[in-house]
């Protein structure tokens, strides 16, 4: 039983380190293959699904895929409907898709 706990806490620490690494890379707009690999490792380590979807949406937006970014951001919104980063990424995705009313609605939530 103690082995299960040690594995759990190890994974939690690993997921935490990966999260902060992703956050730092996102702040630097470093959306490259290393970011994607770190995101996959974060998901595998049991990281928060809503955070993973936000990071995925940001990656997709940075690489010109607004449609799939909106899908990821909407999934994060269903998991955590009251988080400012979700509103921000949804607003950017909707704007890129020409869904200006939806983008304005999301911008309104952040103010």
């Amino acid at each position: 039983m103690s082995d299960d706990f040690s594995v759990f806490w190890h994974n939690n620490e690993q997921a935490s380190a990966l999260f902060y690494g992703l956050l730092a890379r996102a702040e630097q707009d470093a959306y490259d293959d290393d970011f994607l690999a770190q995101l996959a490792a974060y998901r595998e380590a049991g990281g928060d699904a809503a955070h993973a979807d936000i990071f995925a949406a940001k990656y997709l937006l940075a690489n010109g895929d607004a449609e799939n970014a909106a899908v990821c951001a909407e999934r994060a919104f269903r998991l955590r409907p009251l988080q400012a980063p979700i509103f921000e990424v949804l607003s950017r995705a909707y704007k890129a898709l020409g869904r200006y009313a939806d983008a304005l609605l999301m911008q309104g939530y952040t103010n």
Side-chain angles (χ1 to χ4, degrees), residues 3 19 24 28 47 50 59 63 69 78 83 93 104-106 108-109:
D3 287 342
F19 171 81
Q28 298 171 357
Y59 172 86
N63 287 286
R78 285 190 297 277
Q83 286 194 347
L104 282 172
L105 181 64
M106 290 300 130
Y109 287 144

Side-chain angles (χ1 to χ4, degrees), residues 2-110:
S2 65
D3 287 342
D4 291 340
F5 278 141
S6 65
V7 169
F8 171 77
W9 287 114
H10 174 72
N11 286 342
N12 193 14
E13 290 173 13
Q14 181 184 11
S16 178
L18 290 165
F19 171 81
Y20 287 110
L22 286 165
L23 190 60
R25 294 179 70 78
E27 289 172 355
Q28 298 171 357
D29 291 326
Y31 298 108
D32 53 13
D33 289 342
D34 291 335
F35 181 91
L36 197 55
Q38 193 168 359
L39 179 56
Y42 176 70
R43 283 189 188 271
E44 189 174 308
D48 183 85
H51 293 157
D53 283 334
I54 294 168
F55 285 127
K58 288 182 175 191
Y59 172 86
L60 291 164
L61 279 173
N63 287 286
D65 188 353
E67 187 173 333
N68 285 316
V71 169
C72 288
E74 288 168 348
R75 188 171 46 228
F77 182 77
R78 285 190 297 277
L79 292 171
R80 300 262 171 84
L82 298 176
Q83 286 194 347
I86 296 172
F87 301 145
E88 184 270 329
V89 77
L90 269 173
S91 176
R92 289 178 45 214
Y94 288 156
K95 191 176 200 179
L97 292 171
R99 294 173 54 182
Y100 300 112
D102 292 330
L104 282 172
L105 181 64
M106 290 300 130
Q107 285 176 357
Y109 287 144
T110 60

